Amino acid sequence: AGGAPKTVAAASVGRNGALKCAPGYVLDASRCALIVQDMQNDVVMEGGAFASSGSPAHCREQNAIANAARLAAAARGKGVPVIHVWFIVEPGCPGVTMNAPLFEGLADAKAMVRGTWGAAPVPGLEAVAGDHVVEKQRMSAWEGSRLETVLKALGRDIVVVTGAWTNMSIEHTARTGADKGYYMMVPEDACSTMTAEWHTASVNYALQNVAVVTDVDAVVASWG
């Protein structure tokens, strides 16, 4: 009861077809950390660099910003550290290897440039006193960042991941975290991507194997 819920066959189906584990599990809040990843204006807001991808619409459909904000507030109330992971690049993307279409698209769109509106966190998910901020330049929150240093310093091994995009940064972060030995949890209603189809495919065919797929209400309830 004090650890992470067992990864078992999904026990419920969300309105979007997402398979989720049964609620009613208990988590030890002193072992948990919450990641809010890539919830930046360029990523999920109208007027952002990737608005034409459908990302803002799916974020609204998921109510992902409000759901993640509610989870963050609950986490702070239980002493669970909130870690904001932001994709931040310097003008011209120096140091970002152009070895994949995603990174090429980032440079072409001049997205997430430090100090710009696009790089800023979305309204409602700003870091507050006591939160941690980790910067990255890859899809995974672990790659080339200080995330693991922060988690080890805090003594946390159950990692709850929220944010965008489900089938990219969220999935990469969950996969790597599982490989590193962390218990990964993904409340899918606090995550979004470009379309419901992509989201559900990632949740049902990839994340099921590396994380406990759940929802915000169940995580909040698990902290008692």
Side-chain angles (χ1 to χ4, degrees):
K6 298 291 185 183
T7 304
V8 296
S12 65
V13 181
R15 57 162 182 77
N16 54 11
L19 304 178
K20 297 182 286 189
C21 81
Y25 53 82
V26 176
L27 293 179
D28 181 349
S30 71
R31 292 175 57 186
C32 294
L34 172 65
I35 290 176
V36 180
Q37 183 167 208
D38 295 358
M39 290 303 256
Q40 296 161 263
N41 291 323
D42 269 342
V43 182
V44 296
M45 296 297 283
E46 295 291 354
F50 300 113
S52 63
S53 69
S55 176
H58 188 246
C59 186
R60 291 193 301 271
E61 182 181 323
Q62 286 285 99
N63 200 29
I65 294 172
N67 287 339
R70 180 162 60 89
L71 185 54
R76 296 181 188 110
K78 292 295 182 180
V80 174
V82 177
I83 304 171
H84 302 263
V85 178
W86 295 336
F87 201 122
I88 301 290
V89 300
E90 309 302 334
C93 292
V96 180
T97 310
M98 297 300 153
N99 62 312
L102 182 72
F103 304 131
E104 293 173 352
L106 174 82
D108 291 344
K110 297 180 173 58
M112 275 91 84
V113 175
R114 187 184 302 280
T116 64
W117 171 84
V122 299
L125 286 175
E126 301 89 349
V128 303
D131 289 358
H132 303 263
V133 175
V134 170
E135 295 184 0
K136 62 165 189 169
Q137 293 188 335
R138 300 277 94 177
M139 283 179 278
S140 171
W142 307 91
E143 183 65 31
S145 82
R146 64 187 190 98
L147 175 60
E148 192 160 23
T149 300
V150 172
L151 289 170
K152 287 188 179 298
L154 296 169
R156 308 290 167 146
D157 67 340
I158 301 173
V159 183
V160 184
V161 185
T162 68
W165 292 315
T166 317
N167 58 319
M168 297 185 200
S169 291
I170 302 305
E171 188 175 315
H172 274 57
T173 297
R175 286 179 181 276
T176 303
D179 275 347
K180 287 177 173 288
Y182 291 86
Y183 297 96
M184 304 303 296
M185 305 195 66
V186 179
E188 63 84 19
D189 56 342
C191 303
S192 67
T193 183
M194 281 74 161
T195 69
E197 181 182 11
W198 286 13
H199 175 85
T200 304
S202 179
V203 166
N204 290 356
Y205 299 108
L207 288 167
Q208 293 290 335
N209 298 301
V210 295
V212 173
V213 176
T214 183
D215 56 41
V216 168
D217 286 341
V219 176
V220 172
S222 78
W223 288 328

